[in-house]
Amino acid sequence: MAERMIVVGGDAAGMSAASQARRRRDRTDLEIAAFERGHFTSYSACGIPYWISGLVPERDQLVARAPEAFRDDFDIDVRMRHEVTAIDLDRREVVARDLDGDREVRVGFDTLVYATGARPVQPEWARDDVAGVFGVQTLDDGAALLDWLEREPRPRHAVVVGGGYVGVEMAEALVQRGLSVQLVEQAAQPMSTVDPDMGELVAEAMRGTGIGIRTGMKVTGLDERDGRIAAVVTTEGPIPADVVVLGLGVRPNTALAEAAGLPLGPSGAIRVDRRMRVPGVPGVWAAGDCVESLHRVSGMPVHVPLGTHANKQGRVVGINIGGGYATFPGVIGTAVTKVCDLEVGRTGLREQDAAKAGFEFVTVLAESTNRAGYYPGAEKMTVKLIAERPSGRLLGAQIVGRSEAAKRIDALAVALWNGMTVDEMTALDLGYAPPYAPVWDPVLIAARKAVDALAGTGR
Ligand SMILES: Cc1cc2nc3c(=O)[nH]c(=O)nc-3n(C[C@H](O)[C@H](O)[C@H](O)COP(=O)(O)OP(=O)(O)OC[C@H]3O[C@@H](n4cnc5c(N)ncnc54)[C@H](O)[C@@H]3O)c2cc1C
């Protein structure tokens, strides 16, 4: 009899696992069923800000593979609008509710893949159902927001709550639609995924785009008038709004896992081993925004909910279930984003992470340009490096600048992944031509500066 694999969650991690397993084992050997409570499979939440801005015109462009394609091309039994409500490890079955038919089904499994993603942080004040307040976690959220933006009376004043990358990208999207935008962040600057000095550069540049940055301010409530949002109430007074977008971060979606007795790690996400197996629970795997990963620099378990990891981890699960051998070697915290023409990249540890992990280190800020100074379009680029003292090993890097800034972080990520020292990095054979870099690339200038800082010369 064929083995049965059940997947809970039909997006990046879950469907990567399902399709990889199918590539290696056919239906007579492995039956695969995937339960998804929403309306879409394999969709790109990452693309929502660009859909809202109008840059991507159609919602369906964000769907990489629809349920029919999984059924027809991969022989995967995709059960849409089915929410798994319980996992019974003793009986080895899942209980799911058909949200449209309102009936319950029980399906047995040999192998279970837990890939439920993350859930948005929702403070008490955000739980009231006020018309005009939106999250942007799913395509349905995006559709509801778009509908509100296009419906009369059209909103003109937006407040984005939360200055992480989702908040920042949504602020850009709303500005591009012609709204006046205020971004409220309780920390001292937006983009707390970079150090405060780099975050200040982001804030400065965002102000230049017309986005109002309200930092050090906590939202405490929402005011409504005639059944619609009228203002966001903050510790510094109300801010008028006719549309509000919440970008307050996410937590691993572990409720079902906890109820079933799957182990959580110190980050609050599900513990997995290098092959993405849930330890101590045979036949159960987990991947994506619901799991924690090893940080390769700090050695600590961390929760880094990003699509890039979800896809890779799902693939690892699928290869292993398919009879192959694959591991997920951990993360180093590489991430990029943009707000209007400003680009931000980061990898490795911030100063506070390096200190927490017990490293001795030096930091340098190097200012240069993205192109040769004389070449049209040359713009300022700031590179920050954090290097271990005295070894010189790169621990972290951040970049803020205009064009070609964000993806330069990849060179630094590769250096960091391979444990390079800043001294070794000064000799890296990076590409040079005036349209793409000064003769000393900003990455090399920063590495040289870090070498000097380690030597105490600071030239
Ligand atoms: C606006 C936005 C922008 C982003 N931008 C980027 C970016 O630029 N780069 C990047 O790397 N990442 C980005 N991300 C993060 C990325 O989208 C996620 O990391 C990725 O989607 C995680 O995939 P996943 O499969 O683990 O979880 P999810 O995509 O959350 O999928 C989990 C699925 O499980 C379903 N589900 C949950 N519980 C149940 C249940 N009980 N029964 C049935 N189904 C269930 C959910 O409906 C969902 O479809 C962004 C996210 C957002 C919201």
Side-chain angles (χ1 to χ4, degrees):
M1 212 168 75
E3 183 182 320
R4 187 180 296 138
M5 168 181 176
I6 295 288
V7 177
V8 188
D11 193 23
M15 297 319 288
S16 295
S19 46
Q20 277 299 325
R22 171 59 76 229
R23 284 193 174 99
R24 286 167 170 76
R25 294 171 68 178
D26 70 21
R27 192 190 172 85
T28 58
D29 187 32
L30 183 71
E31 282 176 21
I32 307 176
F35 290 83
E36 168 54 53
R37 68 180 171 198
H39 293 97
F40 305 95
T41 49
S42 290
Y43 53 93
S44 171
C46 317
I48 291 174
Y50 311 105
W51 173 37
I52 300 296
S53 75
L55 195 65
V56 176
E58 299 296 332
R59 180 196 65 196
D60 288 351
Q61 290 176 269
L62 302 184
V63 179
R65 196 168 276 137
E68 306 76 57
F70 281 111
R71 290 187 193 113
D72 298 347
D73 305 340
F74 286 82
D75 217 345
I76 294 169
D77 174 13
V78 183
R79 315 257 185 116
M80 297 307 293
R81 303 279 297 145
H82 276 67
E83 176 164 20
V84 174
T85 52
I87 297 167
D88 187 333
L89 290 174
D90 294 330
R91 301 169 71 148
R92 296 194 82 72
E93 60 181 28
V94 295
V95 183
R97 176 154 290 280
D98 174 352
L99 297 174
D100 293 330
D102 199 25
R103 53 185 192 101
E104 196 171 88
V105 291
R106 288 177 169 266
V107 185
F109 64 82
D110 301 294
T111 310
L112 180 77
V113 179
Y114 192 92
T116 54
R119 56 180 173 77
V121 170
Q122 221 186 10
E124 203 60 55
W125 56 261
R127 296 207 180 122
D128 301 340
D129 201 9
V130 179
V133 180
F134 302 91
V136 282
Q137 191 71 15
T138 63
L139 296 188
D140 287 334
D141 293 340
L145 170 59
L146 259 187
D147 179 57
W148 184 262
L149 292 172
E150 283 166 3
R151 202 192 309 161
E152 299 296 340
R154 287 197 178 209
R156 292 186 298 125
H157 303 285
V159 171
V160 175
V161 188
Y165 75 92
V166 169
V168 159
E169 288 172 5
M170 287 309 302
E172 169 185 331
L174 294 166
V175 161
Q176 285 178 347
R177 290 188 68 95
L179 281 87
S180 84
V181 181
Q182 300 290 323
L183 182 134
V184 182
E185 164 60 52
Q186 64 176 6
Q189 84 283 315
M191 292 300 295
S192 61
T193 50
V194 295
D195 284 321
D197 47 0
M198 299 295 273
E200 189 41 48
L201 297 180
V202 179
E204 211 178 282
M206 281 178 76
R207 283 188 200 105
T209 65
I211 297 170
I213 307 287
R214 312 283 197 96
T215 52
M217 192 183 281
K218 212 170 161 181
V219 174
T220 54
L222 301 169
D223 259 358
E224 57 181 312
R225 200 175 308 132
D226 304 329
R228 295 168 63 96
I229 185 73
V232 168
V233 183
T234 77
T235 44
E236 311 288 313
I239 307 174
D242 38 26
V243 58
V244 173
V245 173
L246 305 176
L248 293 158
V250 294
R251 297 278 176 272
N253 185 2
T254 55
L256 267 182
E258 281 178 77
L262 303 187
L264 303 189
S267 72
I270 298 169
R271 266 201 308 132
V272 286
D273 67 11
R274 290 175 72 84
R275 295 184 72 191
M276 307 306 298
R277 292 175 291 212
V278 177
V281 195
V284 178
W285 308 70
D289 280 4
C290 57
V291 305
E292 66 181 21
S293 305
L294 170 75
H295 197 293
R296 289 169 62 93
V297 185
S298 69
M300 311 285 284
V302 286
H303 178 234
V304 184
L306 284 176
T308 174
H309 307 316
N311 279 286
K312 292 188 191 106
Q313 291 171 343
R315 179 171 178 272
V316 166
V317 169
I319 291 173
N320 286 323
I321 293 175
Y325 180 88
T327 60
F328 183 75
V331 302
I332 55 173
T334 309
V336 289
T337 191
K338 80 183 253 297
V339 48
C340 299
D341 62 346
L342 185 82
E343 302 183 10
V344 186
R346 54 100 63 214
T347 189
L349 306 180
R350 296 167 300 178
E351 283 190 54
Q352 56 176 291
D353 308 318
K356 194 169 156 200
F359 287 107
E360 291 278 319
F361 57 88
V362 297
T363 64
V364 290
L365 274 191
E367 289 203 347
S368 54
T369 52
N370 56 341
R371 303 172 185 176
Y374 54 79
Y375 193 88
E379 300 262 19
K380 190 175 102 174
M381 185 180 292
T382 308
V383 179
K384 176 170 186 168
L385 297 186
I386 300 165
E388 187 183 19
R389 191 209 304 266
S391 72
R393 177 164 72 111
L394 184 66
L395 297 176
Q398 295 156 34
I399 304 185
V400 175
R402 309 278 162 182
S403 59
E404 295 111 39
K407 286 300 274 179
R408 256 194 178 87
I409 204 72
D410 286 346
L412 290 158
V414 173
L416 194 143
W417 184 277
N418 288 298
M420 288 181 79
T421 65
V422 285
D423 195 25
E424 288 167 330
M425 285 166 55
T426 59
L428 277 174
D429 185 3
L430 303 182
Y432 161 63
Y436 299 109
V439 68
W440 281 92
D441 189 275
V443 165
L444 301 181
I445 294 173
R448 277 174 47 178
K449 222 174 158 184
V451 170
D452 290 346
L454 284 159
T457 56
R459 284 189 300 268

